[in-house]
Amino acid sequence: MRTVRLLLLVLGVAAAAYGGWLLLPQLGTTLPWLLGGPLLHDVLVAPLVGLVGLALGRLVTNRLRLAWISAGLLASATLLLIAVPLLWRPPSAPPNPGLPDRDYPLGLTAGLAVVWAVIVLVLVVAAIVGRTRGTDRS
């Protein structure tokens, strides 16, 4: 078993070294992306998410509501993360029929509207069911 692990380690290091060798000529253009992503996350995104979570925990005392609102925020953040490259700059490749003619801002708005409409609907139904049962679980 130790031999297999050592062999896998050597292969992994060799693959990483080869990838680094291939990356070397483009290092000037890729280094800002390789450093910028984690730096942006650690400086801006992580503290912002922590503050939003702290505020939500204090403002929303019902655990069911908190779970659904948190899920909505997570889905919204995922949609925004996927949409940023499409909204930020035009496509660099030649047009592919049927793809670049989409209205990405409208699509993002529609996706976010659907996510939050479903969450509001679930919370309203939970509130109605909680009231009919005599306990407010919303």
mmCIF file with all atom_site columns, all heavy atoms in Angstrom, residues 62 64-65 120-138:
data_model
loop_
_atom_site.group_PDB
_atom_site.id
_atom_site.type_symbol
_atom_site.label_atom_id
_atom_site.label_alt_id
_atom_site.label_comp_id
_atom_site.label_asym_id
_atom_site.label_entity_id
_atom_site.label_seq_id
_atom_site.pdbx_PDB_ins_code
_atom_site.Cartn_x
_atom_site.Cartn_y
_atom_site.Cartn_z
_atom_site.occupancy
_atom_site.B_iso_or_equiv
_atom_site.pdbx_formal_charge
_atom_site.auth_seq_id
_atom_site.auth_comp_id
_atom_site.auth_asym_id
_atom_site.auth_atom_id
_atom_site.pdbx_PDB_model_num
ATOM 1   N N   . ASN A 1 62  ? -37.013 32.785 13.658 1.00 0.00 ? 62  ASN A N   1
ATOM 2   C CA  . ASN A 1 62  ? -37.621 31.501 13.326 1.00 0.00 ? 62  ASN A CA  1
ATOM 3   C C   . ASN A 1 62  ? -36.658 30.695 12.464 1.00 0.00 ? 62  ASN A C   1
ATOM 4   O O   . ASN A 1 62  ? -36.188 31.154 11.428 1.00 0.00 ? 62  ASN A O   1
ATOM 5   C CB  . ASN A 1 62  ? -38.942 31.738 12.588 1.00 0.00 ? 62  ASN A CB  1
ATOM 6   C CG  . ASN A 1 62  ? -39.690 30.452 12.352 1.00 0.00 ? 62  ASN A CG  1
ATOM 7   O OD1 . ASN A 1 62  ? -39.224 29.608 11.604 1.00 0.00 ? 62  ASN A OD1 1
ATOM 8   N ND2 . ASN A 1 62  ? -40.847 30.324 12.981 1.00 0.00 ? 62  ASN A ND2 1
ATOM 9   N N   . LEU A 1 64  ? -37.119 28.004 10.579 1.00 0.00 ? 64  LEU A N   1
ATOM 10  C CA  . LEU A 1 64  ? -37.602 27.639 9.249  1.00 0.00 ? 64  LEU A CA  1
ATOM 11  C C   . LEU A 1 64  ? -37.429 28.809 8.280  1.00 0.00 ? 64  LEU A C   1
ATOM 12  O O   . LEU A 1 64  ? -36.932 28.636 7.167  1.00 0.00 ? 64  LEU A O   1
ATOM 13  C CB  . LEU A 1 64  ? -39.073 27.208 9.304  1.00 0.00 ? 64  LEU A CB  1
ATOM 14  C CG  . LEU A 1 64  ? -39.696 26.830 7.966  1.00 0.00 ? 64  LEU A CG  1
ATOM 15  C CD1 . LEU A 1 64  ? -39.053 25.575 7.409  1.00 0.00 ? 64  LEU A CD1 1
ATOM 16  C CD2 . LEU A 1 64  ? -41.194 26.637 8.118  1.00 0.00 ? 64  LEU A CD2 1
ATOM 17  N N   . ARG A 1 65  ? -37.811 29.979 8.714  1.00 0.00 ? 65  ARG A N   1
ATOM 18  C CA  . ARG A 1 65  ? -37.623 31.166 7.865  1.00 0.00 ? 65  ARG A CA  1
ATOM 19  C C   . ARG A 1 65  ? -36.150 31.395 7.579  1.00 0.00 ? 65  ARG A C   1
ATOM 20  O O   . ARG A 1 65  ? -35.756 31.700 6.460  1.00 0.00 ? 65  ARG A O   1
ATOM 21  C CB  . ARG A 1 65  ? -38.181 32.400 8.555  1.00 0.00 ? 65  ARG A CB  1
ATOM 22  C CG  . ARG A 1 65  ? -39.641 32.553 8.428  1.00 0.00 ? 65  ARG A CG  1
ATOM 23  C CD  . ARG A 1 65  ? -40.060 33.889 8.984  1.00 0.00 ? 65  ARG A CD  1
ATOM 24  N NE  . ARG A 1 65  ? -41.493 33.933 9.162  1.00 0.00 ? 65  ARG A NE  1
ATOM 25  C CZ  . ARG A 1 65  ? -42.101 34.734 9.986  1.00 0.00 ? 65  ARG A CZ  1
ATOM 26  N NH1 . ARG A 1 65  ? -41.416 35.559 10.734 1.00 0.00 ? 65  ARG A NH1 1
ATOM 27  N NH2 . ARG A 1 65  ? -43.412 34.723 10.083 1.00 0.00 ? 65  ARG A NH2 1
ATOM 28  N N   . VAL A 1 120 ? -40.770 32.897 -1.146 1.00 0.00 ? 120 VAL A N   1
ATOM 29  C CA  . VAL A 1 120 ? -41.912 33.617 -0.552 1.00 0.00 ? 120 VAL A CA  1
ATOM 30  C C   . VAL A 1 120 ? -43.133 32.712 -0.518 1.00 0.00 ? 120 VAL A C   1
ATOM 31  O O   . VAL A 1 120 ? -43.855 32.655 0.490  1.00 0.00 ? 120 VAL A O   1
ATOM 32  C CB  . VAL A 1 120 ? -42.189 34.925 -1.325 1.00 0.00 ? 120 VAL A CB  1
ATOM 33  C CG1 . VAL A 1 120 ? -43.525 35.511 -0.941 1.00 0.00 ? 120 VAL A CG1 1
ATOM 34  C CG2 . VAL A 1 120 ? -41.072 35.923 -1.074 1.00 0.00 ? 120 VAL A CG2 1
ATOM 35  N N   . LEU A 1 121 ? -43.370 31.970 -1.590 1.00 0.00 ? 121 LEU A N   1
ATOM 36  C CA  . LEU A 1 121 ? -44.515 31.055 -1.637 1.00 0.00 ? 121 LEU A CA  1
ATOM 37  C C   . LEU A 1 121 ? -44.415 29.989 -0.546 1.00 0.00 ? 121 LEU A C   1
ATOM 38  O O   . LEU A 1 121 ? -45.390 29.715 0.160  1.00 0.00 ? 121 LEU A O   1
ATOM 39  C CB  . LEU A 1 121 ? -44.608 30.403 -3.023 1.00 0.00 ? 121 LEU A CB  1
ATOM 40  C CG  . LEU A 1 121 ? -45.765 29.448 -3.256 1.00 0.00 ? 121 LEU A CG  1
ATOM 41  C CD1 . LEU A 1 121 ? -47.086 30.212 -3.220 1.00 0.00 ? 121 LEU A CD1 1
ATOM 42  C CD2 . LEU A 1 121 ? -45.593 28.729 -4.576 1.00 0.00 ? 121 LEU A CD2 1
ATOM 43  N N   . VAL A 1 122 ? -43.253 29.409 -0.383 1.00 0.00 ? 122 VAL A N   1
ATOM 44  C CA  . VAL A 1 122 ? -43.060 28.383 0.651  1.00 0.00 ? 122 VAL A CA  1
ATOM 45  C C   . VAL A 1 122 ? -43.288 28.976 2.041  1.00 0.00 ? 122 VAL A C   1
ATOM 46  O O   . VAL A 1 122 ? -43.954 28.369 2.890  1.00 0.00 ? 122 VAL A O   1
ATOM 47  C CB  . VAL A 1 122 ? -41.648 27.763 0.547  1.00 0.00 ? 122 VAL A CB  1
ATOM 48  C CG1 . VAL A 1 122 ? -41.301 26.965 1.790  1.00 0.00 ? 122 VAL A CG1 1
ATOM 49  C CG2 . VAL A 1 122 ? -41.552 26.890 -0.681 1.00 0.00 ? 122 VAL A CG2 1
ATOM 50  N N   . LEU A 1 123 ? -42.758 30.165 2.296  1.00 0.00 ? 123 LEU A N   1
ATOM 51  C CA  . LEU A 1 123 ? -42.933 30.775 3.612  1.00 0.00 ? 123 LEU A CA  1
ATOM 52  C C   . LEU A 1 123 ? -44.385 31.164 3.874  1.00 0.00 ? 123 LEU A C   1
ATOM 53  O O   . LEU A 1 123 ? -44.872 31.031 5.004  1.00 0.00 ? 123 LEU A O   1
ATOM 54  C CB  . LEU A 1 123 ? -42.014 31.987 3.754  1.00 0.00 ? 123 LEU A CB  1
ATOM 55  C CG  . LEU A 1 123 ? -40.517 31.649 3.828  1.00 0.00 ? 123 LEU A CG  1
ATOM 56  C CD1 . LEU A 1 123 ? -39.696 32.917 3.868  1.00 0.00 ? 123 LEU A CD1 1
ATOM 57  C CD2 . LEU A 1 123 ? -40.206 30.753 4.995  1.00 0.00 ? 123 LEU A CD2 1
ATOM 58  N N   . VAL A 1 124 ? -45.099 31.616 2.843  1.00 0.00 ? 124 VAL A N   1
ATOM 59  C CA  . VAL A 1 124 ? -46.516 31.950 3.010  1.00 0.00 ? 124 VAL A CA  1
ATOM 60  C C   . VAL A 1 124 ? -47.324 30.691 3.289  1.00 0.00 ? 124 VAL A C   1
ATOM 61  O O   . VAL A 1 124 ? -48.176 30.662 4.192  1.00 0.00 ? 124 VAL A O   1
ATOM 62  C CB  . VAL A 1 124 ? -47.056 32.701 1.773  1.00 0.00 ? 124 VAL A CB  1
ATOM 63  C CG1 . VAL A 1 124 ? -48.569 32.771 1.771  1.00 0.00 ? 124 VAL A CG1 1
ATOM 64  C CG2 . VAL A 1 124 ? -46.462 34.100 1.709  1.00 0.00 ? 124 VAL A CG2 1
ATOM 65  N N   . VAL A 1 125 ? -47.065 29.622 2.543  1.00 0.00 ? 125 VAL A N   1
ATOM 66  C CA  . VAL A 1 125 ? -47.774 28.355 2.778  1.00 0.00 ? 125 VAL A CA  1
ATOM 67  C C   . VAL A 1 125 ? -47.455 27.828 4.175  1.00 0.00 ? 125 VAL A C   1
ATOM 68  O O   . VAL A 1 125 ? -48.348 27.350 4.884  1.00 0.00 ? 125 VAL A O   1
ATOM 69  C CB  . VAL A 1 125 ? -47.423 27.320 1.687  1.00 0.00 ? 125 VAL A CB  1
ATOM 70  C CG1 . VAL A 1 125 ? -47.884 25.932 2.064  1.00 0.00 ? 125 VAL A CG1 1
ATOM 71  C CG2 . VAL A 1 125 ? -48.003 27.745 0.350  1.00 0.00 ? 125 VAL A CG2 1
ATOM 72  N N   . ALA A 1 126 ? -46.205 27.924 4.600  1.00 0.00 ? 126 ALA A N   1
ATOM 73  C CA  . ALA A 1 126 ? -45.841 27.461 5.948  1.00 0.00 ? 126 ALA A CA  1
ATOM 74  C C   . ALA A 1 126 ? -46.559 28.275 7.013  1.00 0.00 ? 126 ALA A C   1
ATOM 75  O O   . ALA A 1 126 ? -46.998 27.727 8.033  1.00 0.00 ? 126 ALA A O   1
ATOM 76  C CB  . ALA A 1 126 ? -44.331 27.545 6.140  1.00 0.00 ? 126 ALA A CB  1
ATOM 77  N N   . ALA A 1 127 ? -46.697 29.577 6.789  1.00 0.00 ? 127 ALA A N   1
ATOM 78  C CA  . ALA A 1 127 ? -47.408 30.423 7.750  1.00 0.00 ? 127 ALA A CA  1
ATOM 79  C C   . ALA A 1 127 ? -48.884 30.054 7.800  1.00 0.00 ? 127 ALA A C   1
ATOM 80  O O   . ALA A 1 127 ? -49.483 29.982 8.882  1.00 0.00 ? 127 ALA A O   1
ATOM 81  C CB  . ALA A 1 127 ? -47.233 31.894 7.384  1.00 0.00 ? 127 ALA A CB  1
ATOM 82  N N   . ILE A 1 128 ? -49.498 29.808 6.650  1.00 0.00 ? 128 ILE A N   1
ATOM 83  C CA  . ILE A 1 128 ? -50.924 29.440 6.610  1.00 0.00 ? 128 ILE A CA  1
ATOM 84  C C   . ILE A 1 128 ? -51.143 28.092 7.278  1.00 0.00 ? 128 ILE A C   1
ATOM 85  O O   . ILE A 1 128 ? -52.067 27.928 8.083  1.00 0.00 ? 128 ILE A O   1
ATOM 86  C CB  . ILE A 1 128 ? -51.437 29.440 5.156  1.00 0.00 ? 128 ILE A CB  1
ATOM 87  C CG1 . ILE A 1 128 ? -51.463 30.871 4.624  1.00 0.00 ? 128 ILE A CG1 1
ATOM 88  C CG2 . ILE A 1 128 ? -52.806 28.797 5.059  1.00 0.00 ? 128 ILE A CG2 1
ATOM 89  C CD1 . ILE A 1 128 ? -51.729 30.961 3.144  1.00 0.00 ? 128 ILE A CD1 1
ATOM 90  N N   . VAL A 1 129 ? -50.292 27.126 6.967  1.00 0.00 ? 129 VAL A N   1
ATOM 91  C CA  . VAL A 1 129 ? -50.420 25.801 7.576  1.00 0.00 ? 129 VAL A CA  1
ATOM 92  C C   . VAL A 1 129 ? -50.188 25.892 9.082  1.00 0.00 ? 129 VAL A C   1
ATOM 93  O O   . VAL A 1 129 ? -50.893 25.259 9.867  1.00 0.00 ? 129 VAL A O   1
ATOM 94  C CB  . VAL A 1 129 ? -49.434 24.809 6.921  1.00 0.00 ? 129 VAL A CB  1
ATOM 95  C CG1 . VAL A 1 129 ? -49.336 23.520 7.712  1.00 0.00 ? 129 VAL A CG1 1
ATOM 96  C CG2 . VAL A 1 129 ? -49.847 24.524 5.489  1.00 0.00 ? 129 VAL A CG2 1
ATOM 97  N N   . GLY A 1 130 ? -49.231 26.707 9.501  1.00 0.00 ? 130 GLY A N   1
ATOM 98  C CA  . GLY A 1 130 ? -48.967 26.872 10.936 1.00 0.00 ? 130 GLY A CA  1
ATOM 99  C C   . GLY A 1 130 ? -50.145 27.500 11.665 1.00 0.00 ? 130 GLY A C   1
ATOM 100 O O   . GLY A 1 130 ? -50.456 27.123 12.795 1.00 0.00 ? 130 GLY A O   1
ATOM 101 N N   . ARG A 1 131 ? -50.836 28.428 11.033 1.00 0.00 ? 131 ARG A N   1
ATOM 102 C CA  . ARG A 1 131 ? -51.985 29.074 11.668 1.00 0.00 ? 131 ARG A CA  1
ATOM 103 C C   . ARG A 1 131 ? -53.182 28.140 11.728 1.00 0.00 ? 131 ARG A C   1
ATOM 104 O O   . ARG A 1 131 ? -53.937 28.166 12.694 1.00 0.00 ? 131 ARG A O   1
ATOM 105 C CB  . ARG A 1 131 ? -52.353 30.350 10.914 1.00 0.00 ? 131 ARG A CB  1
ATOM 106 C CG  . ARG A 1 131 ? -51.371 31.450 11.190 1.00 0.00 ? 131 ARG A CG  1
ATOM 107 C CD  . ARG A 1 131 ? -51.892 32.795 10.723 1.00 0.00 ? 131 ARG A CD  1
ATOM 108 N NE  . ARG A 1 131 ? -50.841 33.776 10.887 1.00 0.00 ? 131 ARG A NE  1
ATOM 109 C CZ  . ARG A 1 131 ? -50.250 34.423 9.905  1.00 0.00 ? 131 ARG A CZ  1
ATOM 110 N NH1 . ARG A 1 131 ? -50.632 34.227 8.678  1.00 0.00 ? 131 ARG A NH1 1
ATOM 111 N NH2 . ARG A 1 131 ? -49.298 35.288 10.152 1.00 0.00 ? 131 ARG A NH2 1
ATOM 112 N N   . THR A 1 132 ? -53.363 27.324 10.686 1.00 0.00 ? 132 THR A N   1
ATOM 113 C CA  . THR A 1 132 ? -54.510 26.407 10.709 1.00 0.00 ? 132 THR A CA  1
ATOM 114 C C   . THR A 1 132 ? -54.316 25.291 11.734 1.00 0.00 ? 132 THR A C   1
ATOM 115 O O   . THR A 1 132 ? -55.267 24.753 12.258 1.00 0.00 ? 132 THR A O   1
ATOM 116 C CB  . THR A 1 132 ? -54.770 25.791 9.320  1.00 0.00 ? 132 THR A CB  1
ATOM 117 O OG1 . THR A 1 132 ? -53.595 25.113 8.882  1.00 0.00 ? 132 THR A OG1 1
ATOM 118 C CG2 . THR A 1 132 ? -55.153 26.850 8.324  1.00 0.00 ? 132 THR A CG2 1
ATOM 119 N N   . ARG A 1 133 ? -53.077 24.959 12.024 1.00 0.00 ? 133 ARG A N   1
ATOM 120 C CA  . ARG A 1 133 ? -52.792 23.937 13.026 1.00 0.00 ? 133 ARG A CA  1
ATOM 121 C C   . ARG A 1 133 ? -52.765 24.520 14.432 1.00 0.00 ? 133 ARG A C   1
ATOM 122 O O   . ARG A 1 133 ? -52.663 23.798 15.396 1.00 0.00 ? 133 ARG A O   1
ATOM 123 C CB  . ARG A 1 133 ? -51.460 23.251 12.735 1.00 0.00 ? 133 ARG A CB  1
ATOM 124 C CG  . ARG A 1 133 ? -51.512 22.381 11.522 1.00 0.00 ? 133 ARG A CG  1
ATOM 125 C CD  . ARG A 1 133 ? -50.221 21.643 11.396 1.00 0.00 ? 133 ARG A CD  1
ATOM 126 N NE  . ARG A 1 133 ? -50.262 20.780 10.233 1.00 0.00 ? 133 ARG A NE  1
ATOM 127 C CZ  . ARG A 1 133 ? -49.230 20.137 9.763  1.00 0.00 ? 133 ARG A CZ  1
ATOM 128 N NH1 . ARG A 1 133 ? -48.063 20.270 10.356 1.00 0.00 ? 133 ARG A NH1 1
ATOM 129 N NH2 . ARG A 1 133 ? -49.341 19.368 8.720  1.00 0.00 ? 133 ARG A NH2 1
ATOM 130 N N   . GLY A 1 134 ? -52.768 25.824 14.505 1.00 0.00 ? 134 GLY A N   1
ATOM 131 C CA  . GLY A 1 134 ? -52.775 26.464 15.812 1.00 0.00 ? 134 GLY A CA  1
ATOM 132 C C   . GLY A 1 134 ? -51.425 26.903 16.307 1.00 0.00 ? 134 GLY A C   1
ATOM 133 O O   . GLY A 1 134 ? -51.288 27.541 17.319 1.00 0.00 ? 134 GLY A O   1
ATOM 134 N N   . THR A 1 135 ? -50.373 26.535 15.576 1.00 0.00 ? 135 THR A N   1
ATOM 135 C CA  . THR A 1 135 ? -49.045 26.991 15.956 1.00 0.00 ? 135 THR A CA  1
ATOM 136 C C   . THR A 1 135 ? -48.429 27.690 14.754 1.00 0.00 ? 135 THR A C   1
ATOM 137 O O   . THR A 1 135 ? -48.485 27.217 13.636 1.00 0.00 ? 135 THR A O   1
ATOM 138 C CB  . THR A 1 135 ? -48.133 25.803 16.335 1.00 0.00 ? 135 THR A CB  1
ATOM 139 O OG1 . THR A 1 135 ? -48.028 24.925 15.224 1.00 0.00 ? 135 THR A OG1 1
ATOM 140 C CG2 . THR A 1 135 ? -48.678 25.065 17.533 1.00 0.00 ? 135 THR A CG2 1
ATOM 141 N N   . ASP A 1 136 ? -47.834 28.808 15.008 1.00 0.00 ? 136 ASP A N   1
ATOM 142 C CA  . ASP A 1 136 ? -47.205 29.552 13.933 1.00 0.00 ? 136 ASP A CA  1
ATOM 143 C C   . ASP A 1 136 ? -45.766 29.068 13.763 1.00 0.00 ? 136 ASP A C   1
ATOM 144 O O   . ASP A 1 136 ? -44.908 29.395 14.542 1.00 0.00 ? 136 ASP A O   1
ATOM 145 C CB  . ASP A 1 136 ? -47.232 31.058 14.260 1.00 0.00 ? 136 ASP A CB  1
ATOM 146 C CG  . ASP A 1 136 ? -46.738 31.883 13.095 1.00 0.00 ? 136 ASP A CG  1
ATOM 147 O OD1 . ASP A 1 136 ? -46.631 31.337 11.977 1.00 0.00 ? 136 ASP A OD1 1
ATOM 148 O OD2 . ASP A 1 136 ? -46.465 33.082 13.308 1.00 0.00 ? 136 ASP A OD2 1
ATOM 149 N N   . ARG A 1 137 ? -45.538 28.252 12.722 1.00 0.00 ? 137 ARG A N   1
ATOM 150 C CA  . ARG A 1 137 ? -44.211 27.702 12.474 1.00 0.00 ? 137 ARG A CA  1
ATOM 151 C C   . ARG A 1 137 ? -43.434 28.518 11.449 1.00 0.00 ? 137 ARG A C   1
ATOM 152 O O   . ARG A 1 137 ? -42.342 28.181 11.097 1.00 0.00 ? 137 ARG A O   1
ATOM 153 C CB  . ARG A 1 137 ? -44.306 26.275 11.965 1.00 0.00 ? 137 ARG A CB  1
ATOM 154 C CG  . ARG A 1 137 ? -44.834 25.342 12.993 1.00 0.00 ? 137 ARG A CG  1
ATOM 155 C CD  . ARG A 1 137 ? -44.809 23.952 12.467 1.00 0.00 ? 137 ARG A CD  1
ATOM 156 N NE  . ARG A 1 137 ? -45.330 23.041 13.457 1.00 0.00 ? 137 ARG A NE  1
ATOM 157 C CZ  . ARG A 1 137 ? -45.492 21.786 13.256 1.00 0.00 ? 137 ARG A CZ  1
ATOM 158 N NH1 . ARG A 1 137 ? -45.178 21.246 12.098 1.00 0.00 ? 137 ARG A NH1 1
ATOM 159 N NH2 . ARG A 1 137 ? -45.966 20.997 14.200 1.00 0.00 ? 137 ARG A NH2 1
ATOM 160 N N   . SER A 1 138 ? -44.039 29.525 10.893 1.00 0.00 ? 138 SER A N   1
ATOM 161 C CA  . SER A 1 138 ? -43.348 30.282 9.854  1.00 0.00 ? 138 SER A CA  1
ATOM 162 C C   . SER A 1 138 ? -42.387 31.149 10.484 1.00 0.00 ? 138 SER A C   1
ATOM 163 O O   . SER A 1 138 ? -41.802 31.914 10.609 1.00 0.00 ? 138 SER A O   1
ATOM 164 C CB  . SER A 1 138 ? -44.323 31.063 9.014  1.00 0.00 ? 138 SER A CB  1
ATOM 165 O OG  . SER A 1 138 ? -45.056 31.969 9.816  1.00 0.00 ? 138 SER A OG  1
#
